[in-house]
C-alpha cells in the first residue's frame, strides 16, 4: 500500500452520483476534522446516505470541481448515530422502507433498530400498519441486502459492475460466490444480461488461463448459443471453429479438443447436414428429434370425429355461419377433416379464419373437445375475437409450473383434447413446438394455421416452413384474395410485395388504409415519424398515439432503429413525468409503453409482449405493468427484462396486430432489407399502415429473397 496515502472517515451526507454498472461514485462526506462537506470519489458496489465510511487515498485539486478526496480503498460501516441510521434506512436500499417509515422506526426503536429488524422482527408488528406480511418482506429484504453486498463487492473486485448482483443472488442463492469461483463461465449461460465477454473477464481475474480447456469449451458453447439466438438450430463445424478461434484467440487444436470434450460430455451433438459436419446444442438436437417423432405418431390412426360426409358437413356449416364458401375453401375444409394433422397457410385476406370457423362448427357438432391457442397473448386474443371461442397462449395451455421450471402438461400428463388449433404457427420455434407435441394425446388431431411467407420465429428453427417442406404433412395453400379483403390497400399491397412488386402509393386517396411516403433523407424520415405519431395521425384519423399507433423498425440500432426512435418518442408522448426510474440504460415512467424482452415463466410474460406502465413505487422499488388485462409487478432490479416499446423491431411484432403501423425503411437498414421483413411489417397493421422510406431501400427489400436460411435438420428427420 502506498505509504503517502491519507485517511479519511465520516458519514455520507448525500450521493452526488453513483453508477450501478461501474460502481463509480461521487459522495459528499461529513468528515472528522473538516468543517465543510468533503467531495469524495471512489468505486463501490453499494452506498447509501447515513453510512459511515473509512477511506484511504489522495487529495486531488480538480480544475472544474475543486478539492476532492480520491479514495483508492473504501470501507463501509453501518451507521451508529440515530441521524445516520434514519438516512440509511430511508435511502431506498431496503425494499419496503422509505423515508417516512424510517423516521417511524427510529422513533420506535432508536439505536436498537438494526437489531430489531435482524434479530427480533416480530417487534415491527407493534407499529400501526405493519402486519406479518410487511414484516416478512422487510426482514427478507434486509437479509438479502447483506448477502447481495458481499456478492457485489466480490464481483466488483473482479472487474465487473454490480447491476446484475441481485439476479445472480436469486439464481444461485447464498452459494453465489462459490459457484462463480468454481466456473465463472456459467454466468453467461444462467444470468440474463451477462455475456461471454463479462464472464471471460471474471475468469481472467480468477486466474483461469486464456488457453485453458474450460475457456475453450465455454467459447464454443457461446458461439453456438449466439447462433441459436439468431434462429439457427445448428452450425457447421468449420464455421464454429473459425468463429470460436476469432473470439478466443487460441489455437485451432485447442478448439477441436474442446468440441470433442463437449460431445463426450453430451453437451453437443455432431450430425451431417447437406453433406457437411454440423454441431447442435444437445437441447435443440433432442427437440428436433422429438418433434419429428411426435408428428409421425400423431399422424397415425383415425380422426377423433370419426367418419364425416364432408360435402354435407360443409353445406351445413355454410348454413349455420350464413356464408358462401369458395371451392378452394371447401377443399381446404375437406382436407383438414380427412387428415389428423393439417396445415393451412396463406397471406392476409385469403379466408383462413373462415375455414377455421367452419372446422370449429363441424367438430363441435361432433362433440369434439377443441382447444385454440397461439404463441403470443395478442395473437390468442385476436383468435378469440375472430372465432368467438376461448383461445389462450400455448404457454398457458400447457400450464407452466415455476417451481419445477417445466410445463404441467407433458408426455406424462397429456391435455384432455381431441382437436388443437394453433394460429400464427410461423412463430413456433422448435422448443415450444416440442413441448406442445409432447402434451397432445396421440388420438387427438392438430391443425396449424399460419403464413409461411412471414418472418420465422424469434426462437431457433423454422418449424412451419420445415414441416411444409417435408411434403409429409397435409398442407393447404390459400392464394385467392376474397372480395371483402380486396378493398383493403393494406392487403393488396402486402400481396404485391410478397409477389416481388413495389407497393402502390395511395397518398391522394383520403379513404385509403395504406400510405407510402417517399423520403430520400434519413433525418427527414425520422422527423416525419415523430410528426405522424404525435400529431398528424391522431388529428386526422382520431387514433390514440399510445394505445393505437405502433412504429415498427427493421432493426434496433441506428438513427431509425427502435432504440433511437424510442428515446425521441418517449420525449414527445410522455414528457416530464412526475416519477421515473433509470435502470440498465432505460428510463421508465408511468404511462410508458414497454416490451418484455425475455420469456419470464414466473410472471407469465413472454418475449415480445407489449404493455403499459401503470404505477411506480419508489419505496418498495416496484413497477407495475399492464399487459392486456393483467397487472405484472417488476422489482427495479428486474427492469433489464423490459425495454421501451413506442417503437419495436418488426421481428418482435410477430403475432400482433395494431390499429396503426408506421414503418421506416432506409438504406441504413440495408443489411436487413428483405421481402419477408417488409411483408411481415405491413401485415401487422389492421386499420392503417404508413410506409415512410427511401425508394431504393423499399425496392431492395421487395427484390431480396436471398435471406440466409436458418440451419436446421427437421425436414430430413421425416425421410
Amino acid at each position: 500500500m502506498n505509504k503517502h496515502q491519507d485517511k479519511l472517515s465520516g458519514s455520507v451526507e448525500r450521493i452526488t452520483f453513483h453508477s450501478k454498472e461501474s460502481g463509480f461514485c461521487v459522495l459528499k462526506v461529513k468528515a472528522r476534522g473538516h468543517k465543510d462537506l468533503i467531495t469524495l470519489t471512489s468505486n463501490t458496489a453499494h452506498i447509501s446516505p447515513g453510512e459511515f465510511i473509512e477511506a484511504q487515498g489522495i487529495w486531488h485539486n480538480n480544475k472544474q470541481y475543486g478539492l476532492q478526496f480520491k479514495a483508492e480503498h473504501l470501507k463501509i460501516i453501518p451507521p451508529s448515530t440515530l441521524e445516520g441510521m434514519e438516512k440509511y434506512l430511508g435511502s431506498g436500499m431496503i425494499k419496503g422502507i422509505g423515508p417516512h417509515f424510517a423516521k417511524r422506526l427510529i422513533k420506535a426503536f432508536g439505536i436498537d433498530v438494526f437489531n430489531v429488524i435482524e434479530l427480533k422482527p416480530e417487534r415491527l408488528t407493534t407499529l400501526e400498519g405493519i402486519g406479518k406480511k410487511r414484516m416478512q418482506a422487510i426482514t427478507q429484504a434486509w437479509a438479502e441486502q447483506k448477502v447481495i453486498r458481499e456478492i457485489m463487492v466480490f464481483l466488483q473486485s473482479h472487474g465487473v459492475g454490480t447491476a446484475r448482483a441481485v439476479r445472480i443472488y436469486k439464481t444461485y442463492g447464498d452459494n453465489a460466490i462459490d459457484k462463480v469461483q468454481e466456473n465463472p463461465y456459467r454466468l453467461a449461460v444462467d444470468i440474463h444480461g451477462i455475456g461471454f465477454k463479462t464472464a471471460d473477464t471474471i475468469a481472467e481475474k480468477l486466474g483461469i488461463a486464456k488457453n485453458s480447456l474450460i475457456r475453450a469449451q465455454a467459447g464454443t458453447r457461446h458461439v453456438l448459443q449466439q447462433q441459436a439466438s439468431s434462429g439457427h438450430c445448428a452450425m457447421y463445424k468449420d464455421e464454429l471453429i473459425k468463429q470460436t478461434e476469432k473470439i478466443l484467440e487460441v489455437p485451432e487444436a485447442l478448439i477441436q479438443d474442446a468440441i470433442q470434450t463437449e460431445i463426450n460430455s453430451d453437451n453437443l451433438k455432431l450430425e451431417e447436414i447437406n453433406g457437411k459436419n454440423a454441431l447442435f446444442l444437445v437441447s435443440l438436437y433432442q427437440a428436433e428429434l422429438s418433434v419429428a417423432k411426435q408428428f409421425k405418431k400423431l399422424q397415425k390412426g383415425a380422426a377423433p370425429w370419426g367418419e364425416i360426409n364432408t360435402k354435407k358437413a360443409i353445406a351445413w356449416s355454410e348454413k349455420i355461419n350464413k356464408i358462401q364458401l369458395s371451392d378452394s375453401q371447401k377443399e381446404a375444409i375437406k382436407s383438414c377433416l380427412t387428415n389428423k394433422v393439417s396445415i393451412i397457410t396463406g397471406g392476409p385476406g385469403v379466408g383462413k379464419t373462415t375455414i377455421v370457423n367452419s372446422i370449429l362448427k363441424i367438430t363441435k357438432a361432433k362433440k369434439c373437445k377443441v382447444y385454440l391457442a397461439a404463441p403470443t397473448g395478442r395473437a390468442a386474443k385476436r383468435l378469440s375475437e375472430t372465432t368467438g371461442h376461448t383461445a389462450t397462449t400455448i404457454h398457458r395451455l400447457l400450464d407452466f409450473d415455476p417451481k419445477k421450471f417445466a410445463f404441467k402438461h407433458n408426455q406424462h400428463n397429456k391435455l384432455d383434447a381431441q382437436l388443437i388449433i394453433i394460429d400464427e404457427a410461423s412463430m413456433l420455434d422448435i422448443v415450444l413446438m416440442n413441448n406442445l407435441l409432447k402434451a397432445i394425446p396421440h388420438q387427438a388431431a392438430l391443425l396449424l394455421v399460419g403464413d409461411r411467407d412471414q418472418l420465422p420465429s424469434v426462437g431457433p428453427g423454422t418449424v412451419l416452413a420445415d414441416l411444409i417442406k417435408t411434403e409429409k404433412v397435409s398442407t393447404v395453400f390459400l392464394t385467392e384474395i376474397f372480395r371483402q379483403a380486396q378493398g383493403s390497400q393494406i392487403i393488396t399491397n402486402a400481396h404485391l410485395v410478397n409477389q416481388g412488386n413495389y407497393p402502390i402509393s395511395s397518398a391522394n386517396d383520403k379513404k385509403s388504409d395504406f400510405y407510402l411516403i417517399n423520403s430520400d433523407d434519413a433525418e427527414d424520415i425520422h422527423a416525419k415519424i415523430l410528426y405522424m405519431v404525435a400529431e398528424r395521425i391522431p388529428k386526422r384519423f382520431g387514433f390514440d398515439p399510445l394505445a393505437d399507433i405502433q412504429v415498427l423498425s427493421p432493426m434496433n440500432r441506428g438513427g431509425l432503429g427502435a432504440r433511437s426512435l424510442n428515446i425521441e418518442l418517449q420525449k414527445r408522448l410522455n414528457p416530464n413525468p412526475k416519477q421515473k426510474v433509470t435502470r440498465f440504460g432505460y428510463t421508465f415512467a408511468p404511462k410508458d409503453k414497454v416490451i418484455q424482452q425475455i420469456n419470464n415463466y414466473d410472471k407469465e410474460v413472454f418475449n415480445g409482449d407489449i404493455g403499459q406502465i401503470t404505477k411506480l413505487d419508489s419505496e418498495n422499488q416496484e413497477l407495475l405493468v399492464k399487459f392486456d388485462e393483467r397487472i405484472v409487478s417488476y422489482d427495479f432490479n428486474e427492469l433489464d427484462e423490459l425495454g421501451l416499446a413506442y417503437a419495436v423491431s418488426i421481428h418482435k411484432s410477430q403475432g400482433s396486430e395494431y390499429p396503426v403501423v408506421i414503418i421506416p425503411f432506409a438504406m441504413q437498414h440495408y443489411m436487413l432489407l428483405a421481402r419477408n421483413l417488409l411483408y411481415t411489417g405491413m401485415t401487422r397493421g389492421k386499420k392503417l399502415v404508413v410506409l415512410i422510406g427511401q425508394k431504393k431501400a423499399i425496392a431492395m427489400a421487395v427484390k431480396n429473397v436471398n435471406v440466409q436460411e436458418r440451419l436446421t435438420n427437421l425436414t430430413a428427420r421425416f425421410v
Side-chain angles (χ1 to χ4, degrees), residues 130-300:
I130 306 299
K132 194 175 179 183
K133 193 175 178 182
R134 190 171 180 188
M135 175 204 79
Q136 287 172 341
I138 290 167
T139 51
Q140 184 183 341
W142 178 271
E144 279 184 7
Q145 200 61 39
K146 286 181 75 177
V147 181
I148 289 165
R149 279 190 174 225
E150 288 177 27
I151 296 166
M152 283 176 167
V153 171
F154 167 76
L155 288 171
Q156 209 155 38
S157 68
H158 289 92
V160 67
T162 59
R164 312 291 173 191
V166 173
R167 184 164 272 120
I168 290 168
Y169 171 72
K170 284 184 176 177
T171 305
Y172 300 141
D174 295 347
N175 299 320
I177 293 172
D178 290 342
K179 284 185 178 289
V180 174
Q181 283 177 325
E182 179 192 318
N183 181 3
Y185 292 107
R186 74 200 316 160
L187 290 170
V189 178
D190 298 340
I191 311 297
H192 169 64
I194 292 186
F196 176 78
K197 285 183 180 177
T198 303
D200 202 29
T201 302
I202 298 172
E204 188 179 3
K205 294 266 184 181
L206 289 170
I208 294 174
K210 280 193 172 291
N211 62 350
S212 64
L213 185 62
I214 188 175
R215 181 171 182 260
Q217 286 175 254
T220 55
R221 282 198 308 273
H222 164 67
V223 172
L224 275 171
Q225 279 152 359
Q226 278 192 319
Q227 286 293 102
S229 67
S230 299
H232 299 277
C233 289
M235 188 176 188
Y236 290 121
K237 187 179 180 183
D238 291 348
E239 187 60 28
L240 174 60
I241 292 168
K242 186 179 167 185
Q243 285 198 30
T244 310
E245 198 176 352
K246 188 178 176 183
I247 289 169
L248 301 185
E249 297 177 335
V250 295
E252 182 184 320
L254 179 62
I255 298 165
Q256 293 271 20
D257 287 347
I259 290 171
Q260 195 54 53
T261 304
E262 287 291 285
I263 292 169
N264 295 344
S265 303
D266 211 25
N267 292 325
L268 304 183
K269 282 285 182 185
L270 182 70
E271 189 173 56
E272 198 175 278
I273 303 177
N274 302 325
K276 293 166 70 177
N277 280 336
L279 284 151
F280 288 78
L281 292 167
V282 73
S283 59
L284 298 180
Y285 173 81
Q286 288 172 343
E288 279 201 356
L289 282 180
S290 177
V291 165
K293 182 183 172 186
Q294 298 292 340
F295 248 96
K296 289 171 187 174
K297 274 188 182 178
L298 207 52
Q299 286 176 306
K300 291 175 182 174

Side-chain angles (χ1 to χ4, degrees), residues 101-118:
F101 187 47
K103 200 179 282 292
R104 287 178 63 200
L105 285 171
I106 294 295
K107 190 176 179 182
F109 304 116
I111 207 84
D112 208 27
V113 67
F114 291 169
N115 284 331
V116 168
I117 295 171
E118 192 162 341

